[in-house]
Amino acid sequence: LARTQAPDGSWLPLWFGNQDRKAEDNPVYGTGKVLLAYAALQEQRSAEARRGIEYLRTHQNADGGWGGGPSVTYACGSGEKAKKESENRSTIEETAIALEGLLLCGGEPRQDASIMQGLSWLAQAIQQGNLGCSWPIGFYFAKLWYHERLYPTTFGLSALGAALEKMGET
């Protein structure tokens, strides 16, 4: 893992991307997942993990979530679409993975503005009924993008569970 960490502190996953990023890669997903591995190995204080944490903190969107690139968004279930010209589109999937990585690598929700902003964005997205709005983050060969309708629910619940455990609410 140390050898594959990018100079900016991120990691790139093999099978996951973000169709809205110019390079169609997904350093938020990759970095969040690697931080989960560092936490499981109790290596969350390593230099590599610290750099990954810093990458996530500095690449958080202005709305509090994570995700990359301007995109076409759809109102769930309505079929209506609206072009987002200049902002990054946060997704439940990427926000949840980033949050869980930050939380399990020692982040204290009540003392960490990045975590609190991310949790606020995630809770608002869920309250607005967006658990049924999956985003294409899977990437097959030949540029075939896919999404999994359960990713927002499973990733979101996992991140919220980690936050509740950290705050002693479980």
Side-chain angles (χ1 to χ4, degrees), residues 1-168:
L1 291 174
R3 285 192 322 260
T4 61
Q5 189 173 31
D8 66 2
S10 68
W11 284 274
L12 296 177
L14 177 61
W15 294 107
F16 289 85
N18 184 312
Q19 68 180 7
D20 299 322
R21 286 179 49 92
K22 187 174 181 177
E24 296 182 334
D25 56 3
N26 199 329
V28 169
Y29 183 92
T31 304
K33 284 295 196 177
V34 170
L35 289 177
L36 294 177
Y38 272 93
L41 296 169
Q42 297 182 3
E43 293 289 333
Q44 59 268 44
R45 297 198 193 311
S46 70
E48 294 83 11
R50 299 272 65 124
R51 288 179 49 227
I53 290 166
E54 186 59 26
Y55 175 85
L56 290 178
R57 285 194 173 124
T58 60
H59 287 82
Q60 187 172 20
N61 293 335
D63 64 6
W66 281 266
S71 186
V72 174
T73 59
Y74 293 87
C76 284
S78 73
E80 297 177 23
K81 60 183 176 178
K83 182 73 173 170
K84 297 281 192 175
E85 293 295 335
S86 61
E87 62 187 71
N88 288 336
R89 184 186 192 285
S90 295
T91 69
I92 290 176
E93 295 91 336
E94 289 162 294
T95 299
I97 292 294
L99 279 171
E100 194 170 8
L102 291 171
L103 287 160
L104 294 182
C105 277
E108 293 297 330
R110 292 184 179 104
Q111 299 165 2
D112 187 321
S114 289
I115 290 174
M116 290 306 292
Q117 290 168 356
L119 287 170
S120 177
W121 185 91
L122 183 60
Q124 184 178 9
I126 291 169
Q127 288 171 341
Q128 291 173 348
N130 292 328
L131 282 178
C133 299
S134 58
W135 202 249
I137 62 170
F139 188 66
Y140 286 127
F141 294 108
K143 295 194 178 207
L144 297 173
W145 289 95
Y146 71 92
H147 63 95
E148 168 55 57
R149 67 181 179 85
L150 292 178
Y151 280 171
T153 302
T154 57
F155 292 1
L157 289 175
S158 187
L160 291 174
L164 288 172
E165 189 171 313
K166 263 303 203 187
M167 292 190 272

